[in-house]
Amino acid sequence: MSTYGTLASEHLSLTGGPEKGNPFRSRMSGSLGSLETTASYANSYSIMTGQERKGKEPKKKELIRAVAKGEKSNRLTGEKKLDCLAVFGLVLLKAPNNAPGQTTVLELGTALATTASSNPDPNLISREQFTSVLMSQLDHVTPLSCQKLFSTFDPTGIGRLNHLSFSCTLMSIHRPSMNNLTSGNYHYCRDYVKSVTVLSRCISVVERGRGGVTVNDLKMILKSCSLKAEDRRAIDIQVDQISSVLKRPFEKFSRPIMMSEDEVLGQNGLLIRNSFILDVFQEQLLHMQHEVSERQGAIKRA
């Protein structure tokens, strides 16, 4: 495994050093994804500006240390998320929460979406709303456990959570008889049955009667298992590249193009024709499921 220092050195080599000006100020007004991506390097910028105030040029060693600190913070955030998911995953398996298949997650996702529908951005839900929904939908949860779970999915502390991303993540780790759910529908992609089954369920959560998902929805679904900022950025780039075929003249003046599940996962679907993205998603999915299972085993043995 690479050390934080090695990763930091690689980052500096690839980027050619820090950007001029404040690279975070302009990005912090962007989407939740961009907030999360830039947050891990905020420590680097604070050290660089500190050196500049003293009239010194930031040294490479100090920059490496700063980026390493940001990388360590990012990894610790991922570890914390896995721990919380492991605990919450066990709660979903306790009666009466343990409905057959993915029923519990689907119903929880519906309740979150319904509650958030009156918000200015219906994809985002507040801490209070999130806690209220979980307490009303599930047994064996406490206000404190709900608060911890919310904070894990709100790493930048803005007080809002993307409930669709949260539901897709739960869909990835909650695996009661997953192999029997929809795998028979995907005989043409035997190598990707595990991942395609999860993607199918996630699409059903996100589209909610809209008749399909947008490119941004697809990015969010594919990133639900990504524990590293660089993995999320890679998926963004890959989906942008393959979705260029969907571009239409004056698209910015029209509604976002909706893709049905068949257009995304069908035999001639976007992801089946570009299976390198499924390779990435399946690797991340299996890694997350393995890590969560390991933690759940440790909890049961304790």
Side-chain angles (χ1 to χ4, degrees):
M1 181 181 290
S2 301
T3 64
Y4 298 134
T6 302
L7 291 170
S9 299
E10 291 173 354
H11 171 74
L12 288 174
S13 298
L14 289 171
T15 60
E19 297 179 31
K20 296 296 182 183
N22 187 335
F24 303 104
R25 185 179 300 279
S26 60
R27 294 179 192 170
M28 290 302 281
S29 61
S31 65
L32 288 176
S34 63
L35 286 173
E36 185 178 356
T37 300
T38 57
S40 62
Y41 297 111
N43 288 326
S44 313
Y45 184 74
S46 65
I47 288 183
M48 287 184 279
T49 53
Q51 290 292 326
E52 289 170 358
R53 289 193 200 99
K54 295 177 182 178
K56 300 177 181 178
E57 287 293 326
K59 297 178 181 178
K60 186 172 182 179
K61 185 185 294 185
E62 290 163 344
L63 293 179
I64 289 175
R65 190 183 303 118
V67 177
K69 187 175 181 181
E71 179 64 28
K72 182 177 182 180
S73 175
N74 190 45
R75 285 196 183 184
L76 290 176
T77 299
E79 292 293 318
K80 181 180 178 183
K81 176 177 283 190
L82 288 170
D83 289 337
C84 283
L85 286 172
V87 173
F88 192 67
L90 290 175
V91 169
L92 296 180
L93 295 176
K94 292 182 180 180
N97 301 331
N98 58 341
Q102 300 292 89
T103 304
T104 299
V105 179
L106 289 168
E107 291 180 351
L108 180 60
T110 299
L112 290 169
T114 301
T115 301
S117 61
S118 59
N119 293 341
D121 185 339
N123 292 331
L124 303 180
I125 195 166
S126 70
R127 184 181 292 269
E128 293 74 19
Q129 290 173 324
F130 179 81
T131 301
S132 176
V133 171
L134 263 62
M135 292 291 293
S136 63
Q137 289 287 122
L138 301 170
D139 285 67
H140 313 292
V141 294
T142 64
L144 179 59
S145 64
C146 294
Q147 296 282 340
K148 287 183 177 180
L149 192 61
F150 185 95
S151 296
T152 301
F153 281 83
D154 177 29
T156 55
I158 64 171
R160 299 189 301 280
L161 177 151
N162 188 318
H163 60 85
L164 295 174
S165 178
F166 172 75
S167 296
C168 288
T169 304
L170 288 190
M171 199 70 68
S172 301
I173 66 155
H174 187 56
R175 299 182 293 166
S177 304
M178 281 297 294
N179 291 334
N180 299 324
L181 288 178
T182 57
S183 57
N185 298 336
Y186 302 107
H187 55 86
Y188 50 83
C189 57
R190 222 174 308 170
D191 294 339
Y192 299 105
V193 163
K194 291 182 179 179
S195 59
V196 168
T197 302
V198 172
L199 289 173
S200 172
R201 284 292 185 258
C202 289
I203 289 174
S204 68
V205 166
V206 174
E207 69 170 352
R208 282 182 52 76
R210 292 183 300 160
V213 294
T214 66
V215 169
N216 285 335
D217 292 334
L218 183 58
K219 288 181 183 179
M220 179 194 65
I221 291 170
L222 290 168
K223 290 187 290 187
S224 62
C225 297
S226 302
L227 296 171
K228 299 178 182 178
E230 55 265 33
D231 291 339
R232 291 186 283 276
R233 285 194 294 269
I235 286 176
D236 281 337
I237 292 171
Q238 290 170 342
V239 174
D240 281 336
Q241 288 175 344
I242 66 171
S243 65
S244 61
V245 298
L246 301 173
K247 300 287 185 185
R248 296 176 182 171
F250 310 109
E251 180 186 0
K252 64 180 180 180
F253 300 110
S254 61
R255 292 183 178 182
I257 299 173
M258 306 294 287
M259 297 177 287
S260 67
E261 181 178 330
D262 187 61
E263 289 174 303
V264 176
L265 296 174
Q267 193 159 0
N268 295 309
L270 194 67
L271 295 185
I272 301 302
R273 287 186 283 111
N274 299 274
S275 57
F276 60 93
I277 294 184
L278 286 176
D279 287 331
V280 174
F281 178 79
Q282 182 151 287
E283 181 181 0
Q284 294 175 3
L285 170 69
L286 295 177
H287 174 68
M288 174 176 272
Q289 290 179 343
H290 173 74
E291 290 291 330
V292 169
S293 296
E294 287 284 307
R295 284 164 168 76
Q296 289 178 335
I299 292 171
K300 291 176 182 178
R301 291 191 296 270

